[in-house]
Amino acid sequence: MIELKAVAKSFGSLRAVDGVDLHVRKGELFGLIGRNGAGKSTLFQLMLGLLVADAGHVHVDGGPVAGARFRAVKRMLGYLPENVVLYDNLSGLETLRFFARLKGVGMAQCEPLLEQVGLSHASGRKVREYSKGMKQRLGFAQALLGDPQLLFLDEPTNGLDPEGIREFYQILKTRQQAGTTIVITSHILAEIQQRVDRLAILRSGRIQAVGSVQALRAEMNLPLSFEIVAKGDDTQAIEAALRRAPFGELTINARSIAFSCPRDAKMSAIGALAPLSDRIADLQIHEPSLEDVFLGYTGVNA
C-alpha cells in the first residue's frame, strides 16, 4: 500500500528525513515511533503529498504521490494531524458536514460517525465548548469520512481518557478487519505495543528498525524479568537454587525475589524453580516492553 525508497527531506540545514526505505502492507496496522523531532510528522506529510521529497520516491497504492492519479487516490485517504484545529463557532455536526463537503462525501455519514466516536450527545454544541478529548474525537470522525482505505493518525489518542482510548482502538480494529490500512504514531508505547502488526523506529530522520514487537525483542536479545513470590517468609531455598544458576543479580524484598534472565536461558530458569513449586506462591515472567526495545535502538541518552 505504501512504499518509500531512499526518501530525504531537509528544511534548511535540518535533515528531517534522511534516506528512508519503508514498506507498509495493505490491511496492516503499522506503528511509527520516535522521539520528538525524529521526523515522524514529516514522513506523514510526505506520504500524504503535503510535502515533496528532495530525493527518493514515495508511492501510495502503486503510484507516486503527485499528479492526477494521486488526486484520485487522496479521496480514499483519511488524516488526523497531531494538533487538531477546528472552527470554534461551528457545532460538531456542522463541522463534520463542512469536511464532508470538502471531501465530496454524502451528509448521511455525519450523524452516524458522531455517534460512533461518542459525540452524538454534543452534536449541536459549538466546538468552542468541547473539551480537548471531544475535539480529538471530532477530528477522528472527520478522518473517517468517506470510509478511507488508508488512515494516517498522528498521536490520535492525545487528550482521550482511558475509555476513549479503548473505544478508539475498537473502531480501528473494526476498520482494519474491513481492509483499511492504518499508519499510527504514538508517544504512549505501552498503548500500541499489543495493537500494531509491525512498527518502525525512527531516529534523527532515519529508520533504525522495522518489524513486529516480538521480532524486535528477539533481535535486541533483551533479557526477561522473573518475579517470584514465596508461599511463606522463608525465601532461602529459592534464593539458593537461583544462585547456583547463571542468572542476573537477585533482588530480594520480603517474600519476593526478582531477577533478569537471558532469553535463551528461560527454560533453564524454569527448570531450576520446578523442584521448588511447593515453596512458590506465584511466578511472573515479563517480556521487555516496547519502551525497552525503543530505548535499546535509540539509546537512552540519544
Side-chain angles (χ1 to χ4, degrees):
M1 178 58 79
I2 302 171
E3 180 187 54
L4 284 76
K5 185 67 175 177
V7 173
K9 182 65 181 179
S10 296
F11 300 97
S13 61
L14 174 64
R15 190 80 158 175
V17 174
D18 190 4
V20 165
D21 294 326
L22 186 65
H23 295 80
V24 179
R25 302 163 186 157
K26 183 176 177 60
E28 77 175 333
L29 177 50
F30 190 89
L32 189 62
I33 63 174
R35 300 177 185 276
N36 291 332
K40 303 185 301 296
S41 294
T42 301
L43 266 185
F44 261 34
Q45 293 178 62
L46 289 166
M47 290 186 282
L48 286 161
L50 300 176
L51 291 174
V52 178
D54 298 334
H57 74 247
V58 182
H59 283 192
V60 172
D61 195 32
V65 289
R69 182 188 180 280
F70 185 65
R71 285 196 291 273
V73 171
K74 275 186 176 181
R75 294 189 176 277
M76 72 172 196
L77 306 183
Y79 175 45
L80 176 61
E82 181 177 1
N83 298 306
V84 179
V85 178
L86 302 166
Y87 295 102
D88 285 348
N89 290 326
L90 297 180
S91 69
L93 182 56
E94 288 170 339
T95 298
L96 214 52
R97 286 174 173 169
F98 168 77
F99 282 109
R101 284 192 291 271
L102 288 179
K103 290 186 173 184
V105 173
M107 298 294 132
Q109 290 193 20
C110 296
E111 290 186 70
L113 273 176
L114 286 174
E115 182 174 1
Q116 187 177 20
V117 301
L119 286 178
S120 56
H121 69 286
S123 64
R125 286 166 53 185
K126 300 296 184 185
V127 170
R128 64 172 174 266
E129 300 173 8
Y130 279 22
S131 67
K132 184 176 182 180
M134 293 171 71
K135 290 179 179 178
Q136 196 73 8
R137 289 171 184 258
L138 184 56
F140 184 38
Q142 71 77 25
L144 296 176
L145 279 166
D147 295 320
Q149 294 302 298
L150 178 56
L151 272 173
F152 292 93
L153 306 171
D154 198 355
E155 299 292 341
T157 60
N158 187 20
L160 296 183
D161 57 24
E163 181 181 3
I165 292 172
R166 183 184 62 186
E167 292 170 352
F168 166 79
Y169 280 107
Q170 287 173 341
I171 293 171
L172 282 197
K173 183 176 181 180
T174 300
R175 294 279 171 161
Q176 186 186 11
Q177 288 173 340
T180 303
T181 304
I182 303 162
V183 185
I184 185 171
T185 73
S186 178
H187 284 109
I188 309 174
L189 303 187
E191 178 186 296
I192 67 169
Q193 71 175 20
Q194 298 298 329
R195 293 179 167 111
V196 296
D197 298 311
R198 292 189 306 137
L199 58 88
I201 298 175
L202 192 66
R203 176 186 178 189
S204 302
R206 296 182 178 180
I207 299 292
Q208 302 297 301
V210 180
S212 67
V213 174
Q214 190 58 35
L216 296 181
R217 281 173 177 156
E219 187 174 309
M220 286 295 296
N221 198 27
L222 295 173
L224 305 174
S225 298
F226 279 66
E227 185 174 353
I228 302 160
V229 178
K231 285 184 177 178
D233 293 334
D234 184 8
T235 62
Q236 290 184 355
I238 301 173
E239 180 183 351
L242 292 172
R243 291 196 185 282
R244 288 194 295 269
F247 306 130
E249 182 179 349
L250 304 182
T251 301
I252 303 171
N253 183 14
R255 293 172 53 205
S256 69
I257 299 176
F259 66 95
S260 294
C261 168
R263 182 172 295 273
D264 57 6
K266 176 180 177 180
M267 298 312 297
S268 297
I270 294 173
L273 294 169
L276 302 169
S277 59
D278 60 332
R279 297 175 179 268
I280 296 174
D282 191 23
L283 167 64
Q284 295 186 24
I285 304 174
H286 301 283
E287 288 273 5
S289 68
L290 179 54
E291 181 178 353
D292 295 328
V293 173
F294 172 73
L295 293 175
Y297 276 106
T298 62
V300 176
N301 299 315

Short mmCIF file of all heavy atoms in Angstrom, two decimals, residues 190-218:
data_model
loop_
_atom_site.label_atom_id
_atom_site.label_comp_id
_atom_site.label_asym_id
_atom_site.label_seq_id
_atom_site.Cartn_x
_atom_site.Cartn_y
_atom_site.Cartn_z
N ALA A 190 3.26 1.82 25.52
CA ALA A 190 2.53 0.71 26.12
C ALA A 190 1.16 0.55 25.48
O ALA A 190 0.60 -0.55 25.45
CB ALA A 190 2.40 0.92 27.62
N GLU A 191 0.63 1.64 24.97
CA GLU A 191 -0.71 1.65 24.37
C GLU A 191 -0.74 0.92 23.04
O GLU A 191 -1.73 0.27 22.69
CB GLU A 191 -1.14 3.11 24.20
CG GLU A 191 -2.47 3.35 23.56
CD GLU A 191 -2.68 4.84 23.34
OE1 GLU A 191 -2.76 5.57 24.34
OE2 GLU A 191 -2.73 5.26 22.17
N ILE A 192 0.35 0.99 22.27
CA ILE A 192 0.32 0.43 20.93
C ILE A 192 1.04 -0.91 20.80
O ILE A 192 0.89 -1.60 19.80
CB ILE A 192 0.91 1.42 19.89
CG1 ILE A 192 2.41 1.63 20.12
CG2 ILE A 192 0.16 2.72 19.90
CD1 ILE A 192 3.08 2.39 18.98
N GLN A 193 1.81 -1.32 21.82
CA GLN A 193 2.67 -2.48 21.63
C GLN A 193 1.89 -3.77 21.40
O GLN A 193 2.38 -4.69 20.74
CB GLN A 193 3.64 -2.64 22.78
CG GLN A 193 3.05 -3.09 24.11
CD GLN A 193 4.13 -3.35 25.14
OE1 GLN A 193 5.26 -2.88 25.05
NE2 GLN A 193 3.80 -4.11 26.16
N GLN A 194 0.67 -3.88 21.91
CA GLN A 194 -0.13 -5.08 21.68
C GLN A 194 -1.10 -4.91 20.52
O GLN A 194 -1.86 -5.84 20.22
CB GLN A 194 -0.93 -5.40 22.96
CG GLN A 194 -0.08 -5.71 24.18
CD GLN A 194 0.80 -6.92 23.99
OE1 GLN A 194 0.44 -7.85 23.28
NE2 GLN A 194 1.97 -6.92 24.63
N ARG A 195 -1.05 -3.76 19.86
CA ARG A 195 -2.07 -3.47 18.85
C ARG A 195 -1.53 -3.38 17.43
O ARG A 195 -2.27 -3.62 16.48
CB ARG A 195 -2.79 -2.17 19.22
CG ARG A 195 -3.62 -2.29 20.51
CD ARG A 195 -4.29 -0.98 20.84
NE ARG A 195 -5.31 -1.13 21.85
CZ ARG A 195 -5.23 -0.65 23.10
NH1 ARG A 195 -4.13 0.00 23.47
NH2 ARG A 195 -6.21 -0.81 23.95
N VAL A 196 -0.26 -2.99 17.28
CA VAL A 196 0.27 -2.86 15.92
C VAL A 196 0.74 -4.21 15.39
O VAL A 196 1.17 -5.08 16.14
CB VAL A 196 1.45 -1.85 15.88
CG1 VAL A 196 0.97 -0.45 16.24
CG2 VAL A 196 2.59 -2.27 16.80
N ASP A 197 0.62 -4.39 14.07
CA ASP A 197 1.15 -5.59 13.43
C ASP A 197 2.66 -5.50 13.30
O ASP A 197 3.38 -6.45 13.58
CB ASP A 197 0.52 -5.77 12.06
CG ASP A 197 -0.98 -5.95 12.13
OD1 ASP A 197 -1.43 -6.79 12.93
OD2 ASP A 197 -1.71 -5.25 11.40
N ARG A 198 3.12 -4.34 12.84
CA ARG A 198 4.55 -4.05 12.74
C ARG A 198 4.75 -2.59 13.09
O ARG A 198 3.81 -1.80 13.12
CB ARG A 198 5.08 -4.31 11.33
CG ARG A 198 5.09 -5.76 10.89
CD ARG A 198 5.83 -5.91 9.55
NE ARG A 198 5.30 -5.03 8.53
CZ ARG A 198 6.02 -4.32 7.67
NH1 ARG A 198 7.34 -4.36 7.70
NH2 ARG A 198 5.43 -3.56 6.76
N LEU A 199 6.01 -2.23 13.30
CA LEU A 199 6.31 -0.83 13.56
C LEU A 199 7.72 -0.51 13.07
O LEU A 199 8.54 -1.39 12.84
CB LEU A 199 6.17 -0.49 15.05
CG LEU A 199 7.00 -1.27 16.06
CD1 LEU A 199 8.36 -0.62 16.28
CD2 LEU A 199 6.27 -1.37 17.38
N ALA A 200 7.96 0.79 12.91
CA ALA A 200 9.29 1.29 12.55
C ALA A 200 9.76 2.24 13.63
O ALA A 200 8.97 3.06 14.13
CB ALA A 200 9.25 2.00 11.20
N ILE A 201 11.01 2.11 14.01
CA ILE A 201 11.62 3.01 14.99
C ILE A 201 12.45 4.03 14.23
O ILE A 201 13.35 3.68 13.47
CB ILE A 201 12.48 2.23 15.99
CG1 ILE A 201 11.61 1.25 16.79
CG2 ILE A 201 13.20 3.18 16.94
CD1 ILE A 201 12.39 0.34 17.72
N LEU A 202 12.13 5.29 14.45
CA LEU A 202 12.75 6.39 13.72
C LEU A 202 13.63 7.20 14.66
O LEU A 202 13.23 7.53 15.78
CB LEU A 202 11.66 7.28 13.11
CG LEU A 202 12.05 8.32 12.08
CD1 LEU A 202 12.54 7.65 10.80
CD2 LEU A 202 10.84 9.21 11.75
N ARG A 203 14.84 7.52 14.19
CA ARG A 203 15.75 8.36 14.98
C ARG A 203 16.51 9.30 14.05
O ARG A 203 17.12 8.86 13.08
CB ARG A 203 16.75 7.48 15.74
CG ARG A 203 17.80 8.28 16.52
CD ARG A 203 18.83 7.35 17.12
NE ARG A 203 19.86 8.08 17.82
CZ ARG A 203 20.98 7.55 18.30
NH1 ARG A 203 21.21 6.26 18.16
NH2 ARG A 203 21.88 8.29 18.92
N SER A 204 16.42 10.59 14.34
CA SER A 204 17.13 11.60 13.55
C SER A 204 16.87 11.45 12.05
O SER A 204 17.79 11.56 11.24
CB SER A 204 18.64 11.54 13.84
OG SER A 204 18.89 11.74 15.22
N GLY A 205 15.62 11.17 11.71
CA GLY A 205 15.23 11.08 10.31
C GLY A 205 15.57 9.77 9.63
O GLY A 205 15.32 9.62 8.43
N ARG A 206 16.10 8.80 10.37
CA ARG A 206 16.46 7.51 9.79
C ARG A 206 15.73 6.37 10.48
O ARG A 206 15.50 6.42 11.69
CB ARG A 206 17.98 7.28 9.91
CG ARG A 206 18.82 8.28 9.13
CD ARG A 206 20.29 7.95 9.28
NE ARG A 206 21.12 8.88 8.49
CZ ARG A 206 22.44 8.82 8.42
NH1 ARG A 206 23.09 7.89 9.11
NH2 ARG A 206 23.12 9.69 7.69
N ILE A 207 15.40 5.34 9.71
CA ILE A 207 14.78 4.14 10.26
C ILE A 207 15.85 3.29 10.93
O ILE A 207 16.84 2.90 10.30
CB ILE A 207 14.07 3.33 9.16
CG1 ILE A 207 12.94 4.15 8.51
CG2 ILE A 207 13.52 2.02 9.74
CD1 ILE A 207 11.77 4.43 9.40
N GLN A 208 15.65 3.00 12.22
CA GLN A 208 16.59 2.17 12.96
C GLN A 208 16.23 0.69 12.90
O GLN A 208 17.12 -0.17 12.91
CB GLN A 208 16.63 2.61 14.43
CG GLN A 208 17.02 4.06 14.64
CD GLN A 208 18.43 4.36 14.16
OE1 GLN A 208 19.39 3.76 14.64
NE2 GLN A 208 18.56 5.27 13.21
N ALA A 209 14.94 0.39 12.84
CA ALA A 209 14.50 -0.99 12.81
C ALA A 209 13.04 -1.05 12.37
O ALA A 209 12.28 -0.11 12.61
CB ALA A 209 14.65 -1.63 14.19
N VAL A 210 12.66 -2.16 11.74
CA VAL A 210 11.28 -2.40 11.32
C VAL A 210 10.94 -3.85 11.61
O VAL A 210 11.73 -4.75 11.34
CB VAL A 210 11.08 -2.13 9.80
CG1 VAL A 210 9.62 -2.39 9.41
CG2 VAL A 210 11.47 -0.72 9.44
N GLY A 211 9.76 -4.08 12.18
CA GLY A 211 9.31 -5.45 12.42
C GLY A 211 8.20 -5.49 13.44
O GLY A 211 7.76 -4.46 13.96
N SER A 212 7.75 -6.69 13.76
CA SER A 212 6.78 -6.85 14.83
C SER A 212 7.47 -6.58 16.17
O SER A 212 8.71 -6.64 16.27
CB SER A 212 6.19 -8.26 14.82
OG SER A 212 7.19 -9.20 15.17
N VAL A 213 6.68 -6.32 17.21
CA VAL A 213 7.27 -6.08 18.53
C VAL A 213 8.07 -7.30 18.97
O VAL A 213 9.19 -7.17 19.47
CB VAL A 213 6.17 -5.75 19.55
CG1 VAL A 213 6.76 -5.65 20.96
CG2 VAL A 213 5.47 -4.44 19.19
N GLN A 214 7.53 -8.51 18.74
CA GLN A 214 8.23 -9.71 19.16
C GLN A 214 9.53 -9.90 18.39
O GLN A 214 10.55 -10.30 18.95
CB GLN A 214 7.32 -10.93 18.99
CG GLN A 214 7.86 -12.21 19.61
CD GLN A 214 8.12 -12.08 21.11
OE1 GLN A 214 7.40 -11.40 21.83
NE2 GLN A 214 9.19 -12.71 21.58
N ALA A 215 9.49 -9.61 17.08
CA ALA A 215 10.71 -9.76 16.27
C ALA A 215 11.79 -8.79 16.72
O ALA A 215 12.97 -9.14 16.77
CB ALA A 215 10.37 -9.55 14.80
N LEU A 216 11.40 -7.57 17.06
CA LEU A 216 12.38 -6.58 17.51
C LEU A 216 12.93 -6.94 18.88
O LEU A 216 14.11 -6.71 19.17
CB LEU A 216 11.75 -5.19 17.53
CG LEU A 216 11.31 -4.63 16.16
CD1 LEU A 216 10.73 -3.24 16.31
CD2 LEU A 216 12.48 -4.61 15.18
N ARG A 217 12.08 -7.51 19.74
CA ARG A 217 12.57 -8.00 21.03
C ARG A 217 13.65 -9.06 20.83
O ARG A 217 14.71 -9.04 21.47
CB ARG A 217 11.41 -8.62 21.82
CG ARG A 217 10.49 -7.65 22.53
CD ARG A 217 9.32 -8.42 23.10
NE ARG A 217 8.42 -7.57 23.86
CZ ARG A 217 7.14 -7.87 24.07
NH1 ARG A 217 6.62 -8.99 23.58
NH2 ARG A 217 6.38 -7.06 24.78
N ALA A 218 13.35 -10.00 19.95
CA ALA A 218 14.30 -11.09 19.69
C ALA A 218 15.60 -10.56 19.09
O ALA A 218 16.70 -11.02 19.43
CB ALA A 218 13.67 -12.13 18.77
#
